[in-house]
Amino acid sequence: MSQIADRIISDVGLENGVAALTPERIEAVVNQMLKGETGAKLKAYNETCMRCGLCSQGCHYYMSHDNDPSYSPVNKATETMYELMEKKGKVSPQRIYEMAQMAYTECNLCKRCAHYCPIGIDTGYIMSMVRRICYLLDVVPQYIRDTSHSHSSTMNQMWVKDDEWIDTLQWQEDEARDEFPDLRIPVDKEGADFMYSVIAPEPKFRTQLIYQAAAIMNAAGCNWTMPSHPGWDNSDMCMFVGDFENMGRLKRAHYEVAQKLRVKRIVMGECGHAFRSVYDMGNRWLGHKKMPIPVIHSIDFFWELIDEGKVNITHKYEKPVTIQDPCNIIRGRGLMDKLRDVVHFLCEEVVEMTPNREHNYCCCAGGGVINCGPPFKNTRMTGNRIKAEQLEATGVKDIVIPCHNCHGGIEDIIGYYDLGMHGKFIGDIMYELMVKPEL
């Protein structure tokens, strides 16, 4: 069995954070957090966990490293949170480095392991609380630290300035007019049926997704809007860093910009972690029993358009496809059947991965792991060999991937393992097949 200490990777954020630690500070922060934020939940997990190892088959890191028990979820919990609890925070700064690397880069918080635990222990929650402690100790990988700083400074993930956001919407509207003369991207329209929200990588890197979404909305005759003010970005690396204070600030802005526009609900783009942040984490941190405004993922939205006959296609996508099940909207929201309804409507032949649905393997990018940057890319690639084998076994070339992080993770896996496959958003396929106006 290998040890986390044997595979330490140099990262300036972790190194600088650990250099400033003292045993006294570690002890104080750990005990304050355990007493003030977690209640009985972690204690119950620690006391009921049988250390049986049945969760191991649920982890892609464990499976990809030839069943190395040091990657098993129970070992991750034992070497991090359970140790902090049992030693009451009396651990060395170097031990915090090891725990931080394990929590941030060797666990995607995908919660697949919870499906294998006979008593339902949620190791993803445990590791997120380890990250919370590491954040409070200022021991965070540098790249994801910078991303969370972007959120706190600009209220979006990619340092997009306010005028750049509005310029991007105007640019995509202008681009679309050659193909859709009457298309508009309504900005700050009060009383619309819904506000459409995206993650910051769309205006930064994938503006075609905004174009395609606008084309679909236009064809479907939707009464919609997008906000001009901060709060338009629904992504949230603060959640994954452990900066729950700024996570709440981001979600409050997201809800409030929709409330000020008096829209009936929020429709989110094809992103998994952002949906988890708005739907499940941020609203709870803010103390809401229910969401202030109803929120749906684009899978739900596309299914509605199809079900109501608002989107017509010229033909079905002819190449065989397989389906990636993003953790945060499948295990986290149960949209596995609606996802398939949408894909089967659009595509002629669907070849399922094995396993699939809630048991599908994680992309190994989610949970903020891809945002930990280049120092840990090889950790992701070797840590998800099992995904490469799963993808290759389908025999198809096209993968429907309704999540940004899944795109990033799977595209990296495709390149690393030379699979020759391609990822597509649902919006990519729907836009390609939809009936367009004759000019």
Side-chain angles (χ1 to χ4, degrees):
M1 173 177 169
S2 63
Q3 302 289 333
I4 181 64
D6 300 329
R7 51 180 185 262
I8 286 297
I9 293 172
S10 176
D11 178 270
V12 65
L14 297 178
E15 290 166 354
N16 289 345
V18 166
L21 290 182
T22 64
E24 293 76 18
R25 185 180 172 211
I26 296 171
E27 184 177 355
V29 167
V30 168
N31 288 306
Q32 181 181 2
M33 186 271 189
L34 292 177
K35 182 179 179 181
E37 294 190 24
T38 62
K41 192 170 184 177
L42 283 179
K43 185 177 181 182
Y45 283 162
N46 187 23
E47 292 181 356
T48 58
C49 178
M50 298 174 286
R51 279 60 169 180
C52 64
L54 290 176
C55 58
S56 299
Q57 296 294 319
C59 183
H60 46 281
Y61 289 95
Y62 172 87
M63 300 286 285
S64 300
H65 287 287
D66 301 320
N67 301 346
D68 181 342
S70 71
Y71 288 96
S72 69
V74 63
N75 184 69
K76 293 172 189 175
T78 300
E79 286 208 39
T80 57
M81 184 58 76
Y82 295 167
E83 181 175 330
L84 290 172
M85 294 171 73
E86 288 163 11
K87 293 184 177 179
K88 295 180 170 52
K90 294 180 180 179
V91 298
S92 68
Q94 179 59 28
R95 194 74 183 109
I96 294 296
Y97 191 117
E98 295 165 5
M99 292 179 182
Q101 180 172 310
M102 183 175 280
Y104 282 112
T105 73
E106 294 184 3
C107 176
N108 292 96
L109 313 182
C110 77
K111 297 177 181 277
R112 187 174 186 265
C113 54
H115 288 258
Y116 289 77
C117 175
I119 54 176
I121 290 175
D122 183 355
T123 308
Y125 170 78
I126 295 171
M127 300 307 284
S128 70
M129 293 300 103
V130 176
R131 293 186 184 190
R132 174 66 171 163
I133 289 172
C134 292
Y135 165 76
L136 294 172
L137 291 171
D138 200 25
V139 180
V140 178
Q142 186 61 40
Y143 279 82
I144 195 170
R145 180 200 301 267
D146 179 69
T147 309
S148 69
H149 285 174
S150 174
H151 278 301
S152 62
S153 299
T154 66
M155 299 296 286
N156 70 78
Q157 184 183 341
M158 292 287 169
W159 301 94
V160 176
K161 297 178 182 177
D162 291 351
D163 60 337
E164 292 173 340
W165 163 245
I166 298 170
D167 286 349
T168 298
L169 298 183
Q170 292 175 336
W171 167 39
Q172 291 309 295
E173 181 179 279
D174 289 342
E175 286 284 309
R177 283 180 181 169
D178 289 339
E179 191 174 17
F180 306 95
D182 61 341
L183 184 147
R184 298 293 183 271
I185 298 179
V187 176
D188 292 341
K189 179 181 179 181
E190 290 192 15
D193 289 339
F194 64 88
M195 180 185 86
Y196 184 63
S197 70
V198 300
I199 67 171
E202 292 197 22
K204 195 77 171 182
F205 305 119
R206 286 174 161 159
T207 50
Q208 82 278 4
L209 297 179
I210 297 174
Y211 180 114
Q212 290 170 183
I216 294 168
M217 310 284 189
N218 180 71
C222 295
N223 176 21
W224 67 296
T225 190
M226 297 185 82
S228 65
H229 301 293
W232 58 264
D233 176 21
N234 57 37
S235 65
D236 192 352
M237 284 302 114
C238 294
M239 172 178 68
F240 288 139
V241 163
D243 181 0
F244 294 163
E245 289 80 7
N246 266 312
M247 173 185 72
R249 178 169 164 255
L250 294 170
K251 296 315 106 176
R252 180 180 287 111
H254 194 68
Y255 285 129
E256 287 183 353
V257 74
Q259 288 172 317
K260 288 175 182 177
L261 292 175
R262 298 186 298 108
V263 298
K264 295 181 178 66
R265 61 179 178 170
I266 297 170
V267 173
M268 301 182 67
E270 294 183 59
C271 182
H273 95 266
F275 184 77
R276 176 180 179 179
S277 173
V278 175
Y279 175 83
D280 187 49
M281 292 284 287
N283 59 314
R284 298 179 193 277
W285 180 261
L286 291 171
H288 296 296
K289 288 185 177 181
K290 297 181 179 179
M291 289 171 289
I293 287 184
V295 177
I296 65 168
H297 189 268
S298 52
I299 289 173
D300 262 323
F301 177 69
F302 289 141
W303 179 84
E304 283 184 10
L305 295 183
I306 292 168
D307 186 57
E308 295 170 7
K310 292 182 177 179
V311 170
N312 297 307
I313 60 175
T314 58
H315 63 284
K316 287 198 171 191
Y317 191 76
E318 296 174 354
K319 299 177 184 177
V321 303
T322 191
I323 301 172
Q324 167 64 7
D325 291 286
C327 306
N328 290 311
I329 53 178
I330 301 302
R331 281 187 282 275
R333 182 64 181 90
L335 296 180
M336 61 285 285
D337 291 333
K338 281 189 177 178
L339 172 57
R340 279 156 180 80
D341 288 343
V342 171
V343 175
H344 280 273
F345 173 83
L346 295 171
C347 301
E348 193 72 47
E349 181 182 356
V350 179
V351 179
E352 289 283 3
M353 298 184 201
T354 303
N356 54 63
R357 291 175 169 81
E358 68 270 25
H359 292 107
N360 208 331
Y361 291 116
C362 174
C363 66
C364 208
V369 174
I370 193 172
N371 294 82
C372 291
F376 301 101
K377 183 176 181 180
N378 196 54
T379 301
R380 288 192 292 116
M381 297 301 94
T382 58
N384 216 3
R385 186 190 70 209
I386 191 71
K387 188 70 187 181
E389 294 170 356
Q390 182 196 33
L391 290 168
E392 189 172 30
T394 64
V396 308
K397 296 299 181 183
D398 291 339
I399 315 164
V400 179
I401 311 173
C403 171
H404 279 269
N405 273 342
C406 288
H407 268 268
I410 289 177
E411 286 162 6
D412 283 345
I413 289 168
I414 288 169
Y416 187 86
Y417 290 97
D418 195 24
L419 299 180
M421 303 175 81
H422 308 281
K424 288 182 174 290
F425 288 95
I426 295 173
D428 290 331
I429 300 176
M430 187 173 286
Y431 165 78
E432 179 183 334
L433 302 177
M434 61 183 269
V435 175
K436 301 180 177 68
E438 294 185 9
L439 303 179

